[in-house]
Amino acid sequence: MLQSKNEGRKKIIIIDIVVGYVNNKMLMDKKSIETQLMLDMLMMSTVTSKERSESEWEKIFLAAGFTHYNITHTLGLRSLIEVYL
């Protein structure tokens, strides 16, 4: 039986925009980056929040006591973020 290295660990799944995220298969085009930044401005002006870059997400996860995370950029502008304890 094959076991995942994360089997038995607690996982949190987040679906959100990771500003400026570029995966190893394709680069974000200019329109996608502009759209991400526009959504960031919308978040800041309406709910006093903001979209975060990968390094900002990483700081939050590590400060909260999570051991590691994985970001999968497959949902258009949104990314699947898996955070593990």
Side-chain angles (χ1 to χ4, degrees), residues 8 35 59:
T35 303
K59 287 178 189 175

Side-chain angles (χ1 to χ4, degrees), residues 3-11 68 84-85:
Q3 290 185 339
S4 167
K5 70 176 183 175
N6 297 317
E7 189 172 315
R9 292 184 166 204
K10 294 181 182 179
K11 174 170 67 170
H68 64 284
Y84 300 94
L85 285 173

Side-chain angles (χ1 to χ4, degrees), residues 31-76:
K31 287 285 185 193
S32 294
I33 292 171
E34 287 175 354
T35 303
Q36 285 181 346
L37 295 175
M38 187 60 157
L39 289 170
D40 189 29
M41 295 296 291
L42 179 65
M43 289 286 291
M44 287 190 292
S45 65
T46 59
V47 291
T48 63
S49 185
K50 67 176 194 164
E51 302 294 347
R52 293 177 172 84
S53 67
E54 182 175 357
S55 62
E56 291 170 318
W57 278 114
E58 181 178 31
K59 287 178 189 175
I60 291 169
F61 300 150
L62 297 178
F66 293 99
T67 57
H68 64 284
Y69 67 93
N70 182 44
I71 296 177
T72 306
H73 182 71
T74 59
L75 306 169

